[in-house]
Amino acid sequence: MRSLSKTLDLEKIKTTVEGITGFPVFGTDIQKDELDANESFFLNYEKGPIRKADPRANQFLRDLILMFVMKEDAEIDECALILELPKCGLRFRNTEYEFGKVASTEQEAKLSTFYFHQALIICQ
């Protein structure tokens, strides 16, 4: 049986992001009342795509996707996140930015998506 190396400490990641930015962090199962109560917030998804890191070894990279959703003009220190999250076992890869409307509403939103990854070792 094969297994992956140690998983991420999601509570530490959440505490770190909230401490740096002052905005709450939710999983992808955010509730409507949480959505309504927060003008800006983060969503995280820790089970992103997996890709081979080194073709000669059993090392893989798994993405953690951290999305900053802004229904207002909010600012965060992106560099602080990028520099601090390696202490949580994450390596920064890139960002993407999108603009649109929140589903089933006329509410405009901006989305900053941060892609981090964690190194995984496959144990056989």
Side-chain angles (χ1 to χ4, degrees), residues 34-51:
E34 293 167 327
L35 182 64
D36 292 341
N38 294 283
E39 290 299 311
S40 295
F41 55 90
F42 284 89
L43 295 174
N44 77 51
Y45 181 66
E46 73 276 3
K47 296 204 183 262
I50 297 175
R51 63 193 174 285

Side-chain angles (χ1 to χ4, degrees), residues 73-84:
D73 286 330
E75 295 280 329
I76 58 170
D77 186 343
E78 294 175 337
C79 290
L81 278 177
I82 291 166
L83 295 173
E84 198 64 27

Side-chain angles (χ1 to χ4, degrees), residues 59-117:
Q59 187 175 25
F60 297 83
L61 302 174
R62 171 169 245 162
D63 283 354
L64 176 131
I65 302 163
L66 184 64
M67 296 165 275
F68 182 51
V69 180
M70 298 161 275
K71 297 186 283 180
E72 61 183 17
D73 286 330
E75 295 280 329
I76 58 170
D77 186 343
E78 294 175 337
C79 290
L81 278 177
I82 291 166
L83 295 173
E84 198 64 27
L85 286 174
K87 295 175 185 173
C88 299
L90 296 173
R91 298 176 193 164
F92 175 71
R93 196 178 84 199
N94 70 303
T95 57
E96 292 180 2
Y97 302 95
E98 298 177 51
F99 303 91
K101 295 189 188 249
V102 176
S104 303
T105 73
E106 291 300 312
Q107 175 73 54
E108 300 241 346
K110 295 180 222 170
L111 182 67
S112 298
T113 304
F114 295 80
Y115 293 91
F116 290 90
H117 61 257

